[in-house]
Amino acid sequence: MSSDAIVACADMTFADMICDYAERTGRSREQVRDALIASGAYDALYDEQTGLWAAGPDACLDFHEQLCAMKRRAK
């Protein structure tokens, strides 16, 4: 798959993640977008090597939640 196609897939997945997570948490889409970017899930989503871009929004949100849990435990 070309890099452009992977980025397009990641873009669509990220947009779905924002909508789904905003609905799930009751937070604004802007707040959710910022939280996803800050967690590292965004970087992993756009990293072609992880394959996360092909996993879909639910798997990516699970990954985001795992990252957040790891950060909380590290405190």
Side-chain angles (χ1 to χ4, degrees):
M1 185 175 274
S2 73
S3 290
D4 289 343
I6 290 171
V7 169
C9 191
D11 287 343
M12 290 185 285
T13 298
F14 190 60
D16 288 346
M17 288 170 64
I18 291 170
C19 293
D20 294 351
Y21 203 56
E23 186 176 310
R24 187 186 308 175
T25 63
R27 295 165 61 190
S28 74
R29 290 182 180 178
E30 184 176 271
Q31 290 173 318
V32 166
R33 183 199 67 223
D34 293 346
L36 291 169
I37 291 170
S39 76
Y42 179 85
D43 291 335
L45 177 62
Y46 284 88
D47 181 343
E48 293 180 19
Q49 301 303 310
T50 66
L52 198 56
W53 53 269
D58 290 336
C60 294
L61 285 173
D62 289 344
F63 180 71
H64 161 72
E65 290 174 347
Q66 290 172 5
L67 290 174
C68 291
M70 288 175 16
K71 287 181 181 182
R72 283 191 300 271
R73 284 191 295 258
K75 287 184 180 183

